Amino acid sequence: MILDELKLDGKVAAVTGAGRGLGKAMSLALSQVGASIVAAARSKDQIEGTAKEINDAGGKCITVVTDVQKLSDINNMIDTTVKEFGKIDILLNNAGFGIARNALEVTEEDWDSILDTNLRGMFFCSQAAAKHMVDQGSGKIINIASGAGLRGLKYEVPYSASKGGVINMTRALALEWARHKINVNAIAPAWFPLESHSGTYAEDEMKKKLLKHIPLRRFGEPS
């Protein structure tokens, strides 16, 4: 099996935005190949649900309520990871969101909230984890970017800007931390239909438009 070649036994992975969607799916997958998981997000109920699935399946997962807009929460998440497991091998920066809005109607609050979560928060999560990874002489940081960061997305200007920043931030950090044997990479998914989109414009109209640009005419599943 391909999973046998991807074993992460003994590794420790912290995942932000781990309560639902891609973050939850990636937490489950990392656990399935042997990693211990620190599930972080703002919603206590959601990350506890993720932890229950992992622990019930024989894995190990702890939760840390974390708002990546708050530096104190970020530091607490990383400190808790190292205190509980003695190290951090993998940081998966997944927390992020966007607001569909005409650029003429974007508010300062919209801009600050999206950029603070998607870009600023991701940087300071990376910085906090890398301080330990430098001492360890190894580490993997995986940033969830977006296709919107490569080509832009109408009505998603702050989101597109933040994800474009994530992509170039990833390049810069990869160059700077390579000498410490820390790999920094980004994944740029397209749009995934998640439970949070159900019954919205994104679910109805956006689906039809987006599917026209996908050769297989189907979306991926988080798993």
Side-chain angles (χ1 to χ4, degrees), residues 131-183:
K131 288 177 180 178
H132 294 280
M133 292 175 175
V134 166
D135 291 338
Q136 295 167 187
S138 65
K140 311 287 186 185
I141 296 175
I142 303 160
N143 298 327
I144 302 304
S146 169
L150 293 164
R151 60 186 174 272
L153 188 64
K154 187 167 65 173
Y155 303 126
E156 291 276 9
V157 173
Y159 180 80
S160 298
S162 71
K163 292 301 186 177
V166 166
I167 290 167
N168 225 29
M169 180 183 73
T170 300
R171 292 185 177 113
L173 292 179
L175 291 170
E176 187 167 336
W177 292 341
R179 64 191 179 93
H180 299 294
K181 294 184 170 55
I182 300 171
N183 301 138

Side-chain angles (χ1 to χ4, degrees), residues 22 93-103 106-107 109-120 122 143-167 187-192 194 197 206 210:
L22 293 175
N93 279 314
N94 170 70
F97 78 104
I99 300 172
R101 187 160 294 165
N102 187 303
V106 170
T107 66
E109 182 181 358
D110 294 337
W111 182 272
D112 289 348
S113 183
I114 293 170
L115 271 290
D116 281 354
T117 299
N118 297 2
L119 186 57
R120 177 181 178 274
M122 190 176 289
N143 298 327
I144 302 304
S146 169
L150 293 164
R151 60 186 174 272
L153 188 64
K154 187 167 65 173
Y155 303 126
E156 291 276 9
V157 173
Y159 180 80
S160 298
S162 71
K163 292 301 186 177
V166 166
I167 290 167
I187 300 171
W191 189 77
F192 276 69
L194 306 175
H197 299 145
M206 187 77 83
L210 291 173

